[in-house]
Amino acid sequence: MATEASMRVADFGQSPENILSAQSNAHTSIKPLSDVITTVYEFPTMEPLRFERYPSNHLHLPLRRDILHRAVVYEGDATRQGTASTKWRADVYGSGRKIRRQKGLGAARLGDKKSPMLKGGGVAFGPHPRDFSTELPRKMYDLAWRTALSYRYRKGELIVVEDGMDLEFPKARFAKQVFEANHWGNADGRSLVVTSSFRKNVFRAVRDLGAEGRILMERDVDVKDLLKLGRIIIEKQALDGILRDHQSDLIKSAPSATYI
């Protein structure tokens, strides 16, 4: 109340235009979030080491279910082999002679033995090798990557660890102890571990865990993997690589020269 009264006293005697311009300047002075902060942990002790800043258009994008859906469908179509193949009657080996005469036997009309109605004949409207892949603009696909990471970051399910993540021994029981201590296991939604390169001990240990979680290298991850499991434990180098490779929609191309 005191603030409102002081504002009324201060505004007394001023023109409405000056009051509106002052209020608009006060609203425009609020800047949108430019950077977000994430904690980098030491693996496997999960001791906090430092804070890292990332642009908000990398890890703080709004959720776009439509873009994520199109990216997942695009990746799924690209993985379809499309090798199913059947033979039409012209592809089946055999004679083209008519099996029986057209009339006079009281039976249905039949052509040669390669008819789709007969056993061993061709397949009517069967599948043939084809390309199931679809197209998606590169900028939309890159936006889907950062949207998936932003979705995890907003929910607190993006855990960034220091580079060089590994275990002392390639045993599943050591990895299980780490998962149980941090609630990363199957009971809490499983976890995806992403590394920048192959490391024998941690890869063997996590793969032997079975249903507790998965481990992939940065080059093998796609958008569906980022959304499928309960959380993501990712090396900082791998996260930086993903963000670097998927920012085409943020890079403005140089204008082309025009001749007058």
Side-chain angles (χ1 to χ4, degrees), residues 231-243:
R231 68 198 51 81
I232 302 171
I233 300 98
I234 185 170
E235 283 185 347
K236 183 182 182 301
Q237 183 178 353
L239 177 61
D240 294 344
I242 291 175
L243 295 175

Side-chain angles (χ1 to χ4, degrees), residues 7 15 21 53 58 62 110 112 117 121 129 178 193 214 232 238 243:
M7 290 178 61
S15 63
S21 65
R53 289 182 176 271
H58 282 181
L110 277 179
D112 56 30
M117 295 183 294
V178 176
V193 181
R214 295 181 62 197
I232 302 171
L243 295 175

